[in-house]
Amino acid sequence: MSGFRTIIIATIALVGVSQMQAAVAFAEIDRQWRPQLSEKILLLPPKHMNDAIEQDFSKSGLAQNMTSVETQLFDQVSAIGQLKQNLSRYDEQEQIEARHQIIVGKKTYIELLGQQIDLKRERLHTKLGLLKRLDRNLSSDTAQQKVASDVAQLQADAKSRIEGISSKLREQIALEPLTKETNFSKAFDKNMAAISALKDAIASHRMQSRLGLDSGATKSDMLRQLMLDTEADLALIGIETELLGHMAHLLSLDAMALAEDVAAQSFTVATKAQTYSSPSDAVPLFTQ
């Protein structure tokens, strides 16, 4: 009797999850992700752009929807686990009922998981669309890119000239006698030491690695890398969908096995075939 009561409790839990699922499905209207990010995100350091995108998603109705489905999946797994854990404690009839409830719970779980996969696919498509839009906006700003390129070239030329002058001065100073150290050579050594110290401080600063300055990655490079990562995640969604199909196939086999066991219980099957007398069995009666 206690076993049957446990089945009833687990069944109520499964039904409750199913009803919750229907309520959530009704409330899912327009619960989507419409990114609120503007082109200002391009002003952020490359490594912070993805964080800003994920933060925008976390505030969306789609994120709330996915969290709700995830909670239902967890509750469903708990209810199924409780039934399976107590299965050995039930009598034969109760086991049939428990197995039926497990199959119902697994069916609901697969439906929920399929819904979650669709939501994940929607999230990734939305993110990919946002990244492509940002990349187009960044690429269309040719004037800014040309200015940046010109500035970078000027900086490279200036650095080359400074290095050339520095090399010649160091060579000249090295050739002079040590006793003829001039005020200029002293100032030069002092300035070069100061520059070296500042460069070391920049390289070791904790914000240097966060900003990604030493990696040489531009915002355009970062956007393209994020797009590649998102497309890879979409490919994984395809694999998850295939796994879901295998789970559904296995569930159908469980349902067939249960139906067969129920049918077997409906008939009284003899454990041993009936045997009848044969003349050969009575031969000793006539020969002894």
Side-chain angles (χ1 to χ4, degrees), residues 11 20 62 67 71 106 141 239 260 264:
T11 303
M20 188 188 305
L62 179 60
T67 300
T71 301
K106 286 181 177 180
D141 195 0
I239 297 175
E260 185 177 88

Side-chain angles (χ1 to χ4, degrees), residues 35-257:
Q36 303 299 312
L37 297 170
S38 66
E39 285 70 21
K40 291 182 179 180
I41 188 179
L42 297 174
L43 299 176
L44 293 173
K47 288 189 176 181
H48 289 179
M49 284 194 293
N50 190 56
D51 293 339
I53 293 173
E54 292 301 325
Q55 184 177 13
D56 185 83
F57 164 72
S58 66
K59 299 176 182 177
S60 68
L62 179 60
Q64 297 175 13
N65 200 354
M66 293 180 70
T67 300
S68 176
V69 173
E70 197 66 27
T71 301
Q72 295 176 65
L73 284 167
F74 177 81
D75 293 342
Q76 197 74 20
V77 170
S78 298
I80 295 172
Q82 181 181 359
L83 283 171
K84 294 182 70 174
Q85 184 178 4
N86 296 325
L87 196 60
S88 61
R89 297 167 49 190
Y90 305 147
D91 59 32
E92 190 174 11
Q93 187 61 38
E94 290 174 343
Q95 284 187 3
I96 291 294
E97 178 60 27
R99 287 171 60 190
H100 175 260
Q101 293 303 326
I102 289 173
I103 290 175
V104 172
K106 286 181 177 180
K107 178 177 180 294
T108 303
Y109 176 84
I110 289 175
E111 292 172 350
L112 284 168
L113 196 58
Q115 181 183 353
Q116 187 73 306
I117 289 175
D118 288 339
L119 295 175
K120 288 164 67 176
R121 185 183 291 109
E122 180 183 347
R123 169 185 174 271
L124 291 172
H125 277 304
T126 303
K127 181 177 181 179
L128 187 60
L130 172 63
L131 292 170
K132 288 181 177 179
R133 176 170 64 83
L134 292 173
D135 186 56
R136 286 194 301 269
N137 293 337
L138 186 63
S139 300
S140 64
D141 195 0
T142 55
Q144 181 180 357
Q145 288 184 347
K146 187 176 184 305
V147 171
S149 178
D150 292 342
V151 170
Q153 185 61 45
L154 289 173
Q155 290 175 337
D157 292 343
K159 180 180 179 182
S160 178
R161 288 195 297 271
I162 291 173
E163 289 177 348
I165 294 172
S166 173
S167 177
K168 289 181 180 178
L169 288 173
R170 294 302 303 170
E171 188 176 318
Q172 178 181 351
I173 292 173
L175 293 175
E176 292 181 355
L178 294 177
T179 56
K180 290 185 60 180
E181 187 175 35
T182 63
N183 290 333
F184 175 78
S185 66
K186 292 179 181 179
F188 182 83
D189 286 339
K190 183 178 180 180
N191 287 332
M192 291 300 293
I195 291 173
S196 179
L198 289 173
K199 288 173 67 177
D200 290 342
I202 291 172
S204 61
H205 199 285
R206 64 184 179 89
M207 290 302 295
Q208 179 73 4
S209 58
R210 291 188 185 180
L211 295 175
L213 299 178
D214 54 351
S215 64
T218 64
K219 290 181 173 62
S220 182
D221 293 335
M222 186 65 181
L223 284 173
R224 288 185 175 86
Q225 183 59 51
L226 289 175
M227 284 189 283
L228 287 175
D229 293 343
T230 304
E231 289 171 348
D233 289 339
L234 279 170
L236 290 176
I237 291 295
I239 297 175
E240 290 183 356
T241 303
E242 183 179 352
L243 289 173
L244 199 63
H246 291 307
M247 292 169 66
H249 185 192
L250 188 59
L251 179 62
S252 67
L253 295 177
D254 287 343
M256 291 171 61

